């Protein structure tokens, strides 16, 4: 907002729209809502606000004896048709999500054995190596937490790193991840639906910003009225990209706990 030619009232209205609209807004919708003449202005405002959706001192999830954390990775975005076998133009995204349990007797305690998602952390991973995936877990999850993953070798060092790591062998059985990693896969499904439904796909260059927005919304879904206050509070200490940094690719979108920076 500092040294901006956009009126302060517009910034507050923009922050309110971004934080209060449950599914979020695309840049085109945002432009129309604010009555802006240029798409680039709406795009820039949105990314400045997304930079304020990650606290600089963001804590790590987990650490509770009655909860565990599911960790997995998936490919997001890209088009593969007509380019042969394999993954093309997709980005590897790692996720860690707290698994909580509903009180017995509640209306939804029979869904997924009463399990539901707590807080989530999402970040682009360079690859599926132990350095990349293990580094993500260490930046996102408290030491000593019970962590459940598949049996990919990239997670093999978590027990040595200080986690109570349980690796689940899938053995090609699709029922195994549904039983042992249902919550993180649900998060991935919601993430991809949100990216394709609201934003109609995003570029790899800015994907981390959208992961940050999804995380911000997801973690405050039970307290929607606090989102606006949180956004304004974080914005006071956050560094936002300039137009030049945003379009040149110099800007590095923040990740959870500084992972990969």
């Amino acid at each position: 907002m500092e040294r901006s030619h956009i009126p302060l009232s517009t910034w507050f209205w923009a922050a309110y729209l971004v934080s209060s609209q449950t599914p979020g807004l695309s840049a085109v919708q945002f432009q129309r809502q604010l009555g802006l003449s240029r798409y680039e202005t709406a795009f820039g405002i949105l990314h400045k606000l997304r930079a304020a959706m990650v606290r600089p001192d963001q804590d790590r999830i987990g650490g509770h004896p009655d909860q565990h954390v599911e960790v997995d990775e998936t490919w997001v975005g890209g088009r593969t048709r007509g380019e042969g076998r394999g993954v093309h133009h997709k980005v590897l995204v790692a996720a860690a999500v707290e698994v909580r349990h509903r009180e017995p007797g509640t209306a939804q305690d029979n869904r997924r054995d009463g399990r539901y998602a707590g807080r989530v952390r999402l970040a682009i991973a360079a690859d599926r190596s132990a350095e990349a995936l293990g580094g993500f877990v260490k930046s996102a999850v408290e030491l000593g937490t019970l962590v459940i993953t598949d049996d990919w070798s990239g997670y093999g060092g978590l027990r040595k790193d200080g986690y109570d790591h349980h690796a689940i062998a899938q053995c090609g059985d699709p029922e195994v991840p549904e039983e042992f990693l249902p919550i993180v896969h649900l998060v991935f499904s919601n993430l991809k639906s949100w990216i394709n439904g609201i934003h109609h796909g995003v570029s790899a260059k800015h994907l981390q910003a959208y992961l940050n927005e999804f995380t911000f919304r997801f973690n405050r879904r039970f307290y929607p009225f606090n989102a606006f206050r949180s956004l304004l509070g974080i914005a006071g200490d956050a560094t936002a990209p300039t137009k030049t940094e945003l379009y040149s690719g110099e800007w590095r979108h923040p990740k959870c706990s500084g992972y990969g920076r």
Side-chain angles (χ1 to χ4, degrees), residues 4 16 27 33 42 70 104 135 155 157 167 171-172 174 180 194 196 204 247 255:
S4 173
Y16 177 77
Q33 289 276 5
E70 293 179 6
Y155 300 112
C171 302
F180 293 98
W194 178 74
N196 293 326
Y247 282 92
K255 294 184 179 181

Side-chain angles (χ1 to χ4, degrees), residues 145-214:
T145 300
L146 170 58
V147 176
I148 297 180
T149 70
D150 58 25
D151 60 345
W152 175 248
S153 60
Y155 300 112
L158 292 183
R159 185 170 292 276
K160 182 180 178 181
D161 290 334
Y163 295 96
D164 183 7
H165 178 219
H166 290 210
I168 306 299
Q170 299 188 43
C171 302
D173 185 354
E175 297 296 327
V176 172
E178 180 61 28
E179 180 179 355
F180 293 98
L181 296 168
I183 307 302
V184 69
H185 287 175
L186 180 63
V187 169
F188 283 145
S189 177
N190 289 343
L191 170 66
K192 293 175 182 180
S193 296
W194 178 74
I195 287 176
N196 293 326
I198 299 298
H199 302 288
H200 307 290
V202 300
S203 68
K205 181 170 65 174
H206 297 304
L207 176 59
Q208 184 61 53
Y210 293 91
L211 298 180
N212 294 340
E213 180 182 351
F214 180 87

